[in-house]
Amino acid sequence: MKSHPLAWGTLTAAVLLLAAPAVTTVHAAEPLACAKEQLAYLDAEDKLVSADDDAQRAQADFDRAASHVNVLRQTADHINDLSLAMDPFVEGYPNVQQLRKERNGVITAAGDARKAQQTGDAAAVADAADRAVAAAYRFDQAAPDEAKRLTFLYDRFSGLVREVHDDAGEARKATSAKEYDAAKNKAEQAQKDARSAHDATPAARDALKACLKKVSA
């Protein structure tokens, strides 16, 4: 049997139509619900974490500076105590002039250390401590044996010499003392910024919760 040309063409067109992919309607992506509020909340959280980190670092810097200030103050105090501990051994001995000279050297070192301590000059405080120890060693060598029999007083003098010697090394490392005022101001500002970040976070969270509640209603 011979196929009719028109029928064949109609059948072919029908097959092609059935094989063609279905046409779909493309819609623009809908914005995420409460996207603005979610971004605001995430931004507030990020600022909070960053502010807390900054505050912790600033506080650590201030604590170190304050510790170094105390090291310099203690060093100056010990040098002054050393000069006072030398007083009982100065008068009444044949070589009083030499003893007085070394004692006065320690007094001068104590004054220099105090001035340097007030400006946070670690190197100058350490240098003053070194000079005080050197003068105290010369004083000890010049002190007569009978003076050293004053056990309690001599032990205090010797102990202070050792303390000032140790202080000199610690004072030389206390370089953050000079940054005390700046570190204090920075730490205070960082704490204020952290408090502001903490205060801003609940408002952003409440705004997000209110939006989500409205959308889901």
Side-chain angles (χ1 to χ4, degrees):
M1 181 178 178
K2 192 173 181 180
S3 299
H4 194 283
L6 180 60
W8 176 253
T10 303
L11 179 60
T12 302
V15 172
L16 292 174
L17 182 61
L18 291 173
V23 178
T24 57
T25 302
V26 179
H27 298 283
E30 295 183 1
L32 181 66
C34 304
K36 179 181 178 181
E37 288 77 7
Q38 291 191 51
L39 289 174
Y41 176 59
L42 291 174
D43 184 58
E45 284 286 325
D46 288 343
K47 288 180 178 179
L48 174 59
V49 172
S50 178
D52 279 343
D53 289 344
D54 289 345
Q56 289 178 8
R57 284 192 293 269
Q59 186 62 44
D61 290 342
F62 173 63
D63 290 343
R64 181 169 55 254
S67 175
H68 286 185
V69 165
N70 287 334
V71 168
L72 300 188
R73 182 182 296 114
Q74 174 180 280
T75 302
D77 289 345
H78 284 169
I79 299 173
N80 184 67
D81 291 344
L82 175 59
S83 70
L84 296 175
M86 297 165 77
D87 285 347
F89 305 104
V90 172
E91 305 300 332
Y93 295 104
N95 55 345
V96 62
Q97 294 300 326
Q98 184 179 0
L99 294 173
R100 188 178 297 164
K101 175 184 176 182
E102 304 304 345
R103 189 273 315 273
N104 290 345
V106 175
I107 292 175
T108 299
D112 292 343
R114 185 65 68 194
K115 292 178 182 177
Q117 170 247 312
Q118 292 171 350
T119 62
D121 191 338
V125 172
D127 289 344
D130 286 338
R131 293 201 310 273
V133 170
Y137 283 157
R138 293 191 296 270
F139 182 93
D140 183 56
Q141 293 173 351
D145 290 340
E146 58 184 297
K148 297 178 182 180
R149 296 192 187 101
L150 301 173
T151 308
F152 173 76
L153 295 175
Y154 185 74
D155 285 349
R156 173 165 173 72
F157 161 74
S158 300
L160 284 166
V161 173
R162 290 191 295 270
E163 284 189 357
V164 173
H165 176 273
D166 293 341
D167 287 343
E170 293 302 313
R172 202 169 294 282
K173 296 183 291 185
T175 54
S176 292
K178 190 179 289 291
E179 307 300 325
Y180 177 85
D181 289 336
K184 180 181 179 182
N185 292 335
K186 186 175 181 179
E188 290 176 348
Q189 184 59 53
Q191 290 292 342
K192 291 180 181 178
D193 293 342
R195 285 194 295 270
S196 296
H198 276 272
D199 292 342
T201 304
R205 182 173 58 247
D206 291 344
L208 175 58
K209 289 171 65 177
C211 180
L212 293 174
K213 184 177 180 180
K214 181 179 179 181
V215 169
S216 62

